Every structure is written in C-alpha cells, then in structure tokens.
Amino acid sequence: MKLELWVHDAITGNEITQVHPLEQDASWSTNIGGTGECAWSFQTDDPDTGMDGARIGSLFQPNARLLALRFDTAVLGAWKIDDWDYAYDTARLAVSGVELVRSESKWRMTYGLNEYELGTLTVTNRSYSGAVRAILSRFKDRAPAWNYPIDLPADGVGTFTQTWEFWKKFTIEDLLAQIEAEGIEIFFRPYLTASRQLRYETIVSPRPTSGASAFHLQADDTPLGGVHYKVSGAEQITGGQGLGQGTGQDQAVAYAGAPPYPIPIRDVKRTFADLTGTRLQAATDAWYAEAKNPVVQWTVGSFTASDEYPPTHAVTGRAWTLHSTGHPVIPDGPHALRVIAASGTFGAQITTEVQSAQ
C-alpha cells in the first residue's frame, strides 16, 4: 500500500506535481461537515526531493493550491493550503491546510463588494439539491476568478422557496447551514477525473454516502479495531419547540411531537434564528425525528489498511455494513453505518468515526 500527496490548482483542480512529505511527521483529517485539517513536513535540503524558496512559493501558495492525499487514483482527502512555515535551523518546511469548501464558504458572501445591491438570492419551488445548486452557483460561478472545482448538484422541482435579502449580508455558509437545519447534509467528496483533475462531487442527502464496504465483526482477519456498541438517551426528547426569526411575542415558533411517550416528558426548545414558516417547521420536524428515540452509537476506533483492505474502505462518506453472528450483546444481522470522519498520518492506520446510516 502506497499513499501519495499531490499538489493541484485551486481554481481549476489541475494536477501540478507530486510532493514527498516526511512520513513520521504528517497528520490529516476529514469529516462529513467539511472541517478537516492537514499538516505535512518536508525536508527542503534533501538531495532527491528538496526545494528552494521559489519552488516552495509556487507549490504551496496559500489559498491558490490544494493538496490531495491519494491511493492510486482514489482521493482519501483534499485540503486548501492555509500557510507554510520554514524552520531555518533544520531546513524543515511545515505546510498546513483545511478542507476547501466549508472553510471558504464562511468568507464569501452572496455578493461581490462592488455589487452589494445585487446580492439578493431567491430560490423558488426547488428541491433541496436544487437549492444547494443555486447557492453554490452564486458561490463560484460569478466570474473565472471566483471558480472552484466543485460539481453542482442536480436541479429539481420541490417545495423549497426562500429569498435571502442582500442587506442581511449573508455568507454562503449561512445559506448552506439553513439547508442543513432541515435535516439535510451537504457533503463535498473529492475525487480525481480521468484527466487527473481534482474535483468535488456535491452530495445533498439526509445521510450522504459514497461507495460501500462490508465486514464481519467475528472474522479473524477484520481490519476494524476498537469496536464499541452503545445505546444513548442523552439527547432523547418527547417534544421539540423550534424558535425562529423575531423576538418576544413576535418570534416565530414551531412544534413537533406526539404521544405515546415512552419516557417521562422531556420537551425542550432549540433556536433556528434565520427561519420562519414552513422552513422553521421542517427544521423542527427533522430535529424531533432525529432525537425522539435513543440512539445506537457505534465506535470503530481504527481501520488498518492492507492489500486486502485498501484505505478507500475508510474514507469519509463510505457506507459500511457490519455483520454480526451469535454475539451475546451485539444483535445478529447486518448493521448499516457510514464513516463520518477519518484521520491518519502517512501510513496504514486510519482512525475512523462512524454513525448509523439510517
């Protein structure tokens, strides 16, 4: 098993070159929410892979370059370069980055600074995927300099209707977060095209997954370690009150919940500050549906990659089916999970966080 690290252009996704980090001083993480980070070290005076100042400045230009961790043509994770730090005494270069889309969506607004009054964005009768498509188009399609290598999700007719006024000064992240408040997740999956461009597939779904793997818990050769099976009622509720736009008696309010109640009443409130009407009710319904029952929480602490089980089995977004037979605690049958976070170094051991896929 051999991992590789490659540099790509942030606007086009075009491949630039492979770079060679120090294996003993590397770390990376990815997650469904798009807030993963990476840190790599390079020995700049190495006779085979060293770099001078001009090459460092070109390859690791902050915000203009992406780093992709690859296994063959599969992308395990990708990050936008934030900064680099050169240590004079050791000739070591430290490069750090963050996952691209959600980090940049917090900066970009629905308008260019010279087009403030054109910043209003209206979505009418679209699906959630169609709404995200409109938001991302505003994010990256205004002019070539705004571009990122992100695939827009499919358009579609639906019930989502919303106007985001320019004078409220929303960021793109504000808009994506409103979609997610209604029980939808927006997952940006990095991948490599046939022409070796790095791009991001946009998956809009209540439980996005990409690819599938199956493992038997009682198998002798399982790559999984640190497995825990937990039932938690910490967030269980009997009813939810969603608090939306406004204050005092003018504040928008929604409610979700109905008998029978399997536990003593545990009604709680939650704030969705930018929502009202059907959007607020949808968000409240999604929250209640998620929290009305105890949650089965699986922990799979590690995945050991090998020729039989390559690291692509443990990337963020991967669907897992864990089979159990004859165990005294874990129920028999298939258990549908998905990897919601992964982290590692430049080796075979990957730390995973999983969640029910249902």
Side-chain angles (χ1 to χ4, degrees), residues 1 10 56-57 69 74 109 114 119 128 147 163 165 178 195 218 223 238 247 249-250 276 285 298 307 331:
M1 189 201 76
I56 291 169
L69 180 64
M109 295 163 284
N114 61 338
Y128 286 115
N147 187 60
T163 295
E165 302 287 356
Q178 286 189 25
S195 59
Q218 285 78 45
T238 55
T247 59
Q249 64 184 15
D250 296 325
T276 188
D285 289 343
W298 286 83
D307 291 339

Side-chain angles (χ1 to χ4, degrees), residues 239-255:
Q241 183 186 47
L243 306 178
Q245 283 186 15
T247 59
Q249 64 184 15
D250 296 325
Q251 187 170 30
V253 176
Y255 171 74

